[in-house]
Amino acid sequence: MHYSIKNKQQQLFLSISIYNIRLYHKELDIAKASPDPESVDFTTFTDEVKRMIENVKDAKEKIDYILTVIRIHKLNWSTAGGSGDAFLTGIMTGAIWSIKGMIIGYISEKGRQVCRPHIEVLPAFQSKEFTTTIECIISLPFGKARHTLFRNKSFFKDDSEN
């Protein structure tokens, strides 16, 4: 999986492979499920994460189950940005480090990590910009994948199909 916000453009690429044979590779439309990229910048990032956490609370049991089934082989999360004001950028950098630490800690506690996560926050003190990129590689046994999909099919169902 590769997710990024850059210059207020969002991208999500998902690839599924078995024994290095790519079965599925697609750019997914996430405009409905994610924040408006026009409203996200370095100063509102923490508010958007809080909003996403509130939305995730309803699915906590399912997320916990999925985290116990998967193995995380690669997790890179990089965020860069600034507000144009060095003081505010410094405060926001610390807040983003804190939020990322809590999320990675939760994933580490509930999931099975094979790798050490790589996270970074790069402040841009003189400019007003925001970029975040998440890359991860996960694996799960085929039987568990099928069981997880059937158990949580409502979680993965697209609302536009109704």
Side-chain angles (χ1 to χ4, degrees), residues 25-98:
H25 182 77
K26 187 173 183 178
E27 180 176 356
L28 300 173
D29 179 23
I30 56 169
K32 293 180 215 170
S34 62
D36 175 19
E38 295 295 321
S39 69
V40 178
D41 62 26
F42 200 67
T43 58
T44 63
F45 179 75
T46 55
D47 295 330
E48 289 301 327
V49 170
K50 287 178 189 174
R51 188 183 63 78
M52 286 188 278
I53 289 171
E54 287 297 319
N55 292 336
V56 166
K57 282 183 181 178
D58 296 333
K60 183 183 179 313
E61 182 180 312
K62 293 175 184 176
I63 291 170
D64 286 351
Y65 174 75
I66 290 169
L67 285 173
T68 61
V69 173
I70 65 171
R71 288 183 184 254
I72 301 169
H73 297 277
K74 176 181 177 182
L75 179 57
N76 296 338
W77 187 4
S78 174
T79 302
S83 65
D85 176 20
F87 177 73
L88 186 57
T89 298
I91 292 171
M92 295 309 300
T93 299
I96 291 171
W97 268 117
S98 175

Side-chain angles (χ1 to χ4, degrees), residues 42 81-86 89 123-130:
F42 200 67
S83 65
D85 176 20
T89 298
F125 292 106
Q126 302 301 321
S127 62
K128 189 172 186 173
E129 61 183 81
F130 177 75

Side-chain angles (χ1 to χ4, degrees), residues 2-13 30 35-38 40-41 45 78-81 128-134:
H2 175 90
Y3 171 76
S4 67
I5 297 176
K6 185 174 184 178
N7 298 327
K8 303 196 181 206
Q9 297 289 325
Q10 295 185 70
Q11 294 179 328
L12 176 65
F13 295 100
I30 56 169
D36 175 19
E38 295 295 321
V40 178
D41 62 26
F45 179 75
S78 174
T79 302
K128 189 172 186 173
E129 61 183 81
F130 177 75
T131 303
T132 192
T133 303
I134 302 170

Side-chain angles (χ1 to χ4, degrees), residues 6-23:
K6 185 174 184 178
N7 298 327
K8 303 196 181 206
Q9 297 289 325
Q10 295 185 70
Q11 294 179 328
L12 176 65
F13 295 100
L14 183 64
S15 180
I16 299 174
S17 302
I18 296 179
Y19 296 113
N20 291 326
I21 300 171
R22 186 179 293 170
L23 301 176

